[in-house]
Each structure stands twice: as C-alpha cells, then as structure tokens.
Amino acid sequence: MGLYAEQLLPRIIDVACNTRESKPLRRRVCDGLHGEVVEIGFGSGLNIPFYPAAITRVAAVEPADLGWKLARERLAATSIPVVRSGLDGQSLPFPDGSFDAALSTWTLCSIPDAATALAELRRVLKPGGTLHFVEHGLAPDEGVRRWQHRLDPLQKLLAGGCHLTRPIVQLLTDAGFTISELDAFYEKGAPKFLGADSLGVAAAA
Ligand SMILES: C[S@@+](CC[C@H](N)C(=O)[O-])C[C@H]1O[C@@H](n2cnc3c(N)ncnc32)[C@H](O)[C@@H]1O
C-alpha cells in the first residue's frame, strides 16, 4: 500500500463515513446482532457505538493499520471485546461455522473480489447465521447508473478501489444468502451515484 492508502485514506474514511445521516443507518443495521460477530471492513470502528449488548465478541477484519488506531477511543468506550482478527475479507482466518452473525457496512464496494468475501462470510457463519449489511451499489435508475459507470474509474482511483456499480442484492443471492429483510433507498445527504444503498439482513443457508 502507498502513502495515500496507508496514511491519508483511513483518515478520510473516518470523517467521510461518520456523517449525521449514517448514524441511524448504523443503528438499524446493527439491530439484532448477537453472540459472536465478525465485522469485515471494520475501518475506524464507527459501528462500535451501535453494537447491541447481546454481542459477546467481535472479530474485526480490516487491512488498514491506521483505521485500527483511529478506532482507539471507540474501542476504549465499549465493554464488548473487539479483537482485530484478520486483514482481508477474502480470506478469513476462522474455521467453518464460527459466528452467529456478520456485519458489513459500506465495505463490499472496496473489497477487490466481493463474491469471494461473501463466500467466506457464508463459510464462517453458523447455519442460519445472519449477515447484517448496508452497502452502496448500482442504482435502480438508469440515469444515475450512467453517471456511476462514468465516475467508477475515478472513484476506484481516489477511494481505495471503491466500486460504484456493484449489484449488492445480486451478489448476496449469488453467494447463496437468503435475504430476509431489505430496504433500498438513496442515502440522505449523499449524491445519488454514491448513495444508492441496500440495507438488510441475509441468512446463510
Ligand atoms: C468505505 S470504508 C467503510 C468502513 C466501515 N465499514 C464504516 O462503515 O465506516 C471500506 C473499508 O473496507 C476496508 N477494506 C478494503 N479492502 C478490504 C478487504 N480486502 N478486506 C476487508 N476490508 C477491506 C477498507 O480498509 C475500509 O476500512
């Protein structure tokens, strides 16, 4: 990783992903998490304040060392044990069926091979375990999609490989998840090309 990706991008993400509008979405997506949880793309721990007390432990997977450092105060403020346990969502260092639930917030856009990451999540979830997700991706409207395709190369360059055009629901179902709750909407305060969100819960068979 270069200087930009290592030293600057995690700070930008820490601020850009910590909007007032994102907080109710984080609360909603964390609702119902319990037991042993794996969070991929932990970033700077912006979900920590929304972890329900029913969580017994979080295994955090995040490649950026600086993200982990920026999470320090949030980590100190929670009584839930959070352990940095992996660096890459595409290759999770856990046995099959280890977790009750998984969490991914605005992360599937940035993982190079999202299908592999979802297959890994499915593998490490217990049967019937749930993935709680809020992700931005391909917009429902053709006009917005055109802009997403135009801006995708720039977004990837500036935002650490973030893709604007990933079909989140299709990726989840292709990976064998069964979606039990889904809300699709444009995020308030974000441009439509960046804020076409899917928020929900999907079960590993
Ligand atoms: C847009 S940020 C979202 C951070 C955090 N989930 C949040 O909601 O604030 C995307 C995160 O995915 C992480 N990431 C990138 N590649 C990854 C990979 N292969 N495995 C796990 N996380 C990855 C980035 O370092 C970054 O922290």
Side-chain angles (χ1 to χ4, degrees):
M1 286 207 287
L3 201 62
Y4 174 71
E6 267 178 50
Q7 294 301 328
L8 208 54
L9 194 56
R11 291 180 207 278
I12 293 172
I13 290 172
D14 182 47
V15 174
C17 290
N18 197 14
T19 59
R20 197 166 39 129
E21 289 77 12
S22 74
K23 291 180 204 276
L25 301 178
R26 292 184 188 281
R27 188 176 301 286
R28 276 176 67 193
V29 76
C30 288
D31 186 37
L33 289 170
H34 64 279
E36 300 274 311
V37 173
V38 56
E39 177 171 1
I40 58 164
F42 175 78
S44 55
L46 292 173
N47 290 319
I48 292 176
F50 306 100
Y51 288 164
I55 295 179
T56 50
R57 190 179 69 94
V58 174
V61 176
E62 170 56 52
D65 292 341
L66 182 55
W68 188 250
K69 284 188 194 132
L70 293 170
R72 222 170 1 218
E73 282 181 22
R74 287 180 273 267
L75 287 165
T78 180
S79 57
I80 296 169
V82 180
V83 182
R84 190 178 185 192
S85 306
L87 300 175
D88 185 359
Q90 299 162 121
S91 174
L92 296 176
F94 314 115
D96 298 0
S98 306
F99 294 95
D100 299 293
L103 176 63
S104 176
T105 62
W106 298 288
T107 288
L108 290 177
C109 55
S110 298
I111 295 184
D113 185 342
T116 298
L118 287 170
E120 276 293 85
L121 283 180
R122 206 170 150 228
R123 180 184 68 75
V124 303
L125 278 169
K126 294 175 183 170
T130 49
L131 166 61
H132 293 226
F133 60 92
V134 57
E135 300 289 346
H136 73 87
L138 193 63
D141 300 299
E142 193 46 49
V144 182
R145 287 183 184 202
R146 270 198 295 276
W147 274 106
Q148 289 184 312
H149 286 293
R150 273 182 210 133
L151 294 171
D152 215 21
L154 189 62
Q155 176 75 5
K156 278 186 218 153
L157 193 68
L158 296 178
C162 170
H163 296 68
L164 294 171
T165 55
R166 289 200 163 152
I168 298 302
V169 168
Q170 192 186 321
L171 281 167
L172 286 163
T173 49
D174 286 354
F177 281 95
T178 305
I179 297 178
S180 56
E181 292 172 32
L182 179 65
D183 188 11
F185 53 90
Y186 289 111
E187 197 177 320
K188 273 189 210 146
K192 283 187 172 177
F193 71 85
L194 193 56
D197 280 1
S198 303
L199 183 155
V201 176

